[in-house]
């Protein structure tokens, strides 16, 4: 009974061979064992890390073309009114001459000389002769101190009338010099006189205890110049008593305008001017 049962099992085992036709091996115990089918394990899938997040890249703003702005109209700036100089009033011509020895005021030098007459040193009479640059000669009588040889000291427009006055040295001493001005008139050169008819004698210089001087002052150009004559005296040479006489020029004469007294110390401007000549640099 056991052998009959074994035969069908062997046949069944033979029928269940491999696909290649190779009979299955028999187990030693007579039991046919079918090996399990070889299974290849699936390969693990690699784990891929998610990509790192990149920070956004800041893009510079696109440059915009400059927008042309229309010019802003500025309101005009009000300028302060320019002060206009006062209208020039009619006045006498400026002091002349501007060149040396210009007697007639034409801007050109004239020739001046003193001519000695007969016995002039005893009588003191000389002739002032002026040869004009435009032609012609004018003369005048000079009265000088006896034994003094006069000389032309200079020419200045002392009265501001356009013509030049000729200052002639007509006297003097050890410490002073005396001048007489001569001016051009229609008939020649005339000696300038005071309003009492005397010849105008102007002294300059002095000593420690006395002094004399004069100046030509431009007080009012419309009215002409003034002649200021100064004189001081002192007992000890430190404190002075002075006299200031102001004249107004009138062609070939001078009129007294004022006469004042003053006091001053040695070195004071008023005292110092009382020893000087100040008239256009002559």
């Amino acid at each position: 009974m056991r052998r009959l049962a074994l035969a069908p099992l062997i046949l069944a085992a033979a029928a269940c061979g491999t696909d290649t036709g190779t009979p299955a091996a028999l187990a030693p115990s007579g039991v046919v064992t079918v090996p399990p089918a070889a299974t290849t394990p699936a390969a693990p899938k690699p784990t891929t890390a998610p990509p790192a997040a990149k920070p956004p890249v800041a893009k510079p703003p696109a440059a915009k073309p400059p927008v042309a702005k229309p010019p802003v109209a500025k309101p005009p700036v009000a300028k302060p009114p320019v002060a206009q100089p006062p209208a020039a009033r009619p006045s006498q011509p400026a002091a002349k001459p501007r060149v040396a020895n210009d007697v007639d005021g034409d801007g050109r030098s004239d020739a001046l000389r003193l001519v000695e007459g007969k016995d002039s040193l005893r009588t003191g009479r000389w002739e002032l002769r002026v040869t004009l640059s435009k032609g012609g000669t004018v003369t005048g009588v000079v009265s000088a101190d006896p034994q003094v040889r006069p000389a032309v000291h200079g020419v200045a427009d002392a009265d501001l009338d356009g013509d030049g006055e000729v200052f002639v040295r007509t006297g003097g001493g050890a410490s002073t010099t005396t001048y007489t001005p001569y001016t051009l008139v229609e008939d020649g050169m005339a000696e300038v006189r005071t309003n009492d008819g005397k010849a105008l004698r102007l002294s300059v210089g002095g000593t420690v205890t006395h002094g004399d001087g004069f100046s030509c002052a431009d007080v009012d150009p419309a009215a002409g110049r003034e002649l200021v004559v100064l004189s001081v005296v002192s007992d000890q040479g430190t404190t002075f008593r002075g006299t200031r006489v102001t004249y107004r020029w009138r062609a070939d004469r001078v009129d007294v305008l004022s006469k004042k007294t003053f006091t001053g110390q040695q070195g004071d401007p008023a005292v110092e001017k009382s020893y000087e000549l100040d008239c256009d640099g002559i």
Side-chain angles (χ1 to χ4, degrees):
M1 291 299 289
R2 290 179 180 181
R3 290 178 182 178
L4 291 175
L6 181 60
L9 294 171
I10 295 173
L11 292 175
C16 296
T18 62
D19 292 337
T20 59
T22 303
L26 295 178
S29 58
V31 180
V32 178
T33 304
V34 180
T39 301
T40 303
K45 296 181 179 180
T47 302
T48 303
K54 296 183 179 179
V57 178
K59 295 182 179 181
K64 296 181 179 180
V67 178
K69 296 183 179 181
V72 178
K74 296 182 178 180
V77 179
K79 296 182 179 180
V82 179
Q84 298 294 331
R89 58 179 178 177
S91 62
Q92 297 291 333
K96 293 181 180 181
R98 296 300 183 186
V99 296
N101 299 336
D102 183 10
V103 175
D104 57 359
D106 64 352
R108 295 180 294 177
S109 296
D110 302 312
L112 294 83
R113 62 177 179 145
L114 287 167
V115 179
E116 184 177 359
K118 183 179 180 180
D119 206 9
S120 291
L121 285 177
R122 185 180 66 83
T123 63
R125 292 179 63 85
W126 300 72
E127 182 182 73
L128 172 62
R129 187 172 296 177
V130 180
T131 302
L132 302 175
S133 59
K134 62 184 177 182
T137 300
V138 292
T139 62
V141 177
V142 172
S143 297
D145 292 343
Q147 307 303 314
V148 172
R149 183 175 292 275
V152 175
H153 183 72
V155 179
D157 188 5
D159 57 1
L160 207 64
D161 67 346
D163 297 338
E165 279 65 54
V166 181
F167 285 78
V168 179
R169 180 174 62 84
T170 55
S175 60
T176 60
T177 303
T178 302
Y179 302 95
T180 300
Y182 292 79
T183 188
L184 182 65
V185 293
E186 292 182 0
D187 55 353
M189 300 299 297
E191 184 181 56
V192 176
R193 296 179 176 272
T194 60
N195 51 4
D196 59 2
K198 296 181 180 180
L200 178 63
R201 305 294 290 264
L202 304 170
S203 297
V204 179
T207 63
V208 176
T209 58
H210 82 274
D212 295 288
F214 71 94
S215 64
C216 301
D218 293 329
V219 178
D220 185 356
R225 272 180 166 176
E226 292 179 355
L227 172 67
V228 179
V229 178
L230 299 168
S231 179
V232 292
V233 294
S234 175
D235 297 330
Q236 74 283 15
T238 56
T239 302
F240 291 82
R241 303 179 304 277
T243 302
R244 176 188 177 99
V245 182
T246 303
Y247 297 87
R248 175 63 52 81
W249 293 91
R250 304 291 186 188
D252 60 346
R253 80 172 195 271
V254 290
D255 297 333
V256 177
L257 291 179
S258 64
K259 185 175 181 179
K260 299 179 181 179
T261 60
F262 64 92
T263 59
Q265 300 296 316
Q266 184 181 20
D268 288 350
V271 174
E272 294 295 318
K273 285 184 175 295
S274 299
Y275 286 79
E276 301 173 353
L277 184 162
D278 181 14
C279 189
D280 282 354
I282 62 174

